[in-house]
Amino acid sequence: MPTFFEELSELMAAGTPLVTVTVVDTQGSVPQDRGAKMIVTSDGLRSGTVGGGKIETKAIAEAQQMLRGEIADKTHFVSWNLNKDVGMTCGGIVKLYFEAFNVARWNIVVFGAGHIAQALTRLLINLDCRITCIDPRSEWLEKLPQSPKLTPVQSNDMPSLVKTLPDDAFVVLMTMGHTTDKPILIEILRTRAFPYLGVIGSHSKAVVLRRDVAEAGLTKEKEAAFFCPVGLEIGTNHPYEIAVSIVAQMIGVRDQRSQVAGGVNGW
């Protein structure tokens, strides 16, 4: 039977969302000692114990709230009086520390799976995020890195998927070219408002795209509602340097939004 840490290492390597719960202090009569640990996934208790019975049931429910995003912080501390807070006859106090792992709340959607998208996704899978990569070409989707954080989607009608994207998605368009980027961009600007929207391309392409937006009857504000060229103005045209500049720009927008919302260090 695997140990707690063997189980934790296996789940972490697989990218499985989980919460560890640790008894950090106790007072009086309690069912477990300091240092007791358990692992909770969306399916429930995976390994270990913090006391069984009502206290464990309540702790599992608390951990699963974290997994569902109902508790926003990735760390969480509670102090429960077992009689008053848990409904147990023993009157001790237990203090628990909850820590979430692989709970990615940063949604990133990449339209296109070409050279720069290949580099971009390989950088992003090292971050705490969830990536969707959409492209009509199966041969390019098959080249994407294998990761539980990355979902490839094959579609011959990419604009139709705009309505399915999460509201908080950071979206980057880098398909086969202007002809395929344009309808996705227009659909987004007509129907959605994402916190980040970038389109790969030169300053010349940006001029053309903004003219396309105007000709589509959209407002002047919409012409300025996306980054093109995308990414910070650093580096060369090497795919990985472009990818680094895009990731840096996205992190900057993400953290700025987090600070405005009163968060700390991202999502």
Side-chain angles (χ1 to χ4, degrees), residues 5 8 11 13 15 26 51 61-62 74 85 92 106 115 123 130 178 185-186 200 208 245 248 251 255:
F5 291 104
L8 179 61
L11 292 169
T26 62
E62 195 97 355
K74 291 187 178 179
D85 299 320
W106 188 16
H115 293 292
L123 290 179
R130 182 185 298 110
H178 175 257
L185 177 65
I186 297 298
I200 198 79
V208 173
S245 78
I251 290 173
D255 290 354

Side-chain angles (χ1 to χ4, degrees), residues 28-77:
S29 178
V30 296
Q32 264 293 358
D33 297 329
R34 296 183 188 94
K37 297 175 175 62
M38 71 177 181
I39 298 171
V40 178
T41 68
S42 59
D43 294 327
L45 178 63
R46 179 64 179 254
S47 177
T49 180
V50 293
K54 290 182 178 180
I55 186 173
E56 195 154 280
T57 299
K58 184 175 175 66
I60 290 170
E62 195 97 355
Q64 291 185 321
Q65 281 186 290
M66 295 178 72
L67 291 172
R68 292 192 298 268
E70 295 167 15
I71 297 173
D73 293 336
K74 291 187 178 179
T75 59
H76 182 53
F77 179 81

Side-chain angles (χ1 to χ4, degrees), residues 68 123 152 163 195 256 259:
R68 292 192 298 268
L123 290 179
K163 63 179 179 291
Q256 184 178 38
Q259 290 165 11

Side-chain angles (χ1 to χ4, degrees), residues 176-188:
M176 292 80 77
H178 175 257
T179 303
T180 46
D181 284 338
K182 173 185 170 181
I184 304 170
L185 177 65
I186 297 298
E187 180 64 18
I188 290 173

Side-chain angles (χ1 to χ4, degrees), residues 109 111 132 134 161-167 169 171 188 192 194:
V109 179
F111 283 89
T132 302
I134 303 167
L161 298 184
V162 168
K163 63 179 179 291
T164 70
L165 306 183
D167 292 338
V171 181
I188 290 173
R192 305 296 301 273
F194 296 115

